[in-house]
Amino acid sequence: MTTTTAVPCRDAVRRSYLLCPPTYFAVEYAINPWMDPSGPVDTGAALRQWQTLRDTLRELGHQVETLPPRPRLPDMVFAANGASVVDGRVLVARFRHPERAPEAAAHRTWFRRAGYRPMAAQLPNEGQGDFLPVGGRVLAGSGPRTSAAAHREAEAALGRRVVSLRLTDPRYYHLDTALAVLSEDQVMYYPAAFTPESNRTLHALFPRAILATDQDAAVLGLNAISDGRHVLLTEAAHGLAARLHAEGFVPIGVRLPELLKAGGGPKCCALELHQAPRERP
Ligand code: ARG
């Protein structure tokens, strides 16, 4: 007799994302351990790799909006860091480092023009890099960028319960480098990037979560975009791709080696314009 484990059927949800082309991408300063300003960067290659990511999102049926890039803001391609968007509410980021601080004004302008009412943050807060909505709550990272006090500010602004998670490893400086939301009840994460207490919190919320190996975390495999079915992640994350496949997700390998030199992957390029469920088509 053979026993088969039921693999859940996963449905994709059509989403909208805000992306910013890496027109002025460079590694000119080091604000995370991945960045080496003395190394070579090919901006043309970065643009081509980013275009493939954008086209893949469109081919999957998602809507992609464009944030106009601004000169002298080489990290602006990481649009997910510029704001938190939850149920159509927008809290614009307040960047920790002065090098990225002016990006917030570009986000505020875009959201205003798009008909949102963007709110300003008083405390350091790096948007969807550290705030990820899932299952009626928002998971929030604190560490080198977003402060724990900023979680309370975000809770009031976004109107959802915020669950605080503490990051411990400088390589995983944003929540979205150490954890990805896959569906409304499933996540994948790297336990070694969180404190023991945060691991207990995550285990209680997601007892069946996919756990990343050291190797998959070290290629930024957790910086992934999921629509509930398709999961776009770096093609170097072989272990995670196999686990995702076994769980009924469809992993799609993407290549962003130039952007990795700044410490970013697919997820930080795509700010999800998260709408309240009733507003979804
Ligand atoms: N160089 C950028 C920074 O350090 C990379 C940001 C990537 N974003 C992310 N959510 N991981 O701010």
Side-chain angles (χ1 to χ4, degrees):
M1 199 180 91
T2 52
T3 42
T4 47
T5 317
V7 176
C9 177
R10 308 278 178 187
D11 293 323
V13 177
R14 188 173 171 272
R15 302 195 198 278
S16 298
Y17 297 99
L18 180 64
L19 270 70
C20 178
T23 312
Y24 304 104
F25 177 68
V27 178
E28 291 172 351
Y29 46 79
I31 57 172
N32 71 53
W34 305 79
M35 300 176 87
D36 173 9
S38 66
V41 171
D42 183 339
T43 306
L47 196 53
R48 289 189 293 279
Q49 291 156 10
W50 176 90
Q51 281 162 346
T52 303
L53 173 70
R54 180 199 58 194
D55 294 348
T56 305
L57 286 169
R58 287 193 172 140
E59 281 157 21
L60 290 170
H62 302 301
Q63 188 171 334
V64 176
E65 307 284 349
T66 304
L67 176 68
R70 294 190 180 178
R72 293 180 296 283
L73 292 176
D75 272 334
M76 211 174 151
V77 59
F78 303 115
N81 307 153
S84 299
V85 185
V86 177
D87 302 326
R89 296 200 200 191
V90 179
L91 180 63
V92 176
R94 177 176 287 261
F95 285 89
R96 170 73 68 177
H97 298 101
E99 292 89 339
R100 295 198 67 185
E103 293 179 39
H107 278 264
R108 190 166 46 248
T109 301
W110 188 88
F111 278 101
R112 270 209 197 113
R113 288 192 181 147
Y116 292 83
R117 276 182 291 172
M119 294 173 272
Q122 303 305 316
L123 297 166
N125 154 350
E126 295 205 352
Q128 227 169 58
D130 273 317
F131 292 92
L132 298 171
V134 55
R137 53 179 98 73
V138 176
L139 300 181
S142 70
R145 301 296 177 89
T146 298
S147 69
H151 293 178
R152 305 283 70 88
E153 182 181 30
E155 189 165 58
L158 299 173
R160 274 201 191 192
R161 190 163 88 83
V162 168
V163 177
S164 290
L165 301 166
R166 179 99 193 135
L167 296 162
T168 54
D169 182 327
R171 286 176 303 164
Y172 306 109
Y173 54 94
H174 278 146
L175 181 63
D176 75 358
T177 62
L179 181 146
V181 172
L182 298 170
S183 65
E184 286 304 303
D185 60 3
Q186 182 60 311
V187 301
M188 57 181 183
Y189 64 95
Y190 180 48
F194 297 94
T195 60
E197 192 189 344
S198 295
N199 268 288
R200 283 193 289 278
T201 303
L202 284 168
H203 182 70
L205 290 172
F206 305 101
R208 293 164 43 82
I210 296 176
L211 304 182
T213 61
D214 296 350
Q215 189 263 327
D216 281 335
V219 292
L220 275 193
L222 291 161
N223 196 252
I225 306 172
S226 176
D227 64 12
R229 175 175 174 78
H230 311 99
V231 182
L232 279 66
L233 77 174
T234 176
E235 62 178 18
H238 305 292
L240 283 177
R243 291 291 314 277
L244 287 163
H245 182 73
E247 296 264 340
F249 293 98
V250 180
I252 298 177
V254 295
R255 287 189 70 253
L256 294 168
E258 290 310 304
L259 298 184
L260 186 63
K261 295 174 183 173
K267 175 64 193 90
C268 28
C269 293
L271 174 56
E272 190 197 334
L273 301 171
H274 184 275
Q275 300 299 319
R278 66 182 177 285
E279 290 164 353
R280 287 204 180 116

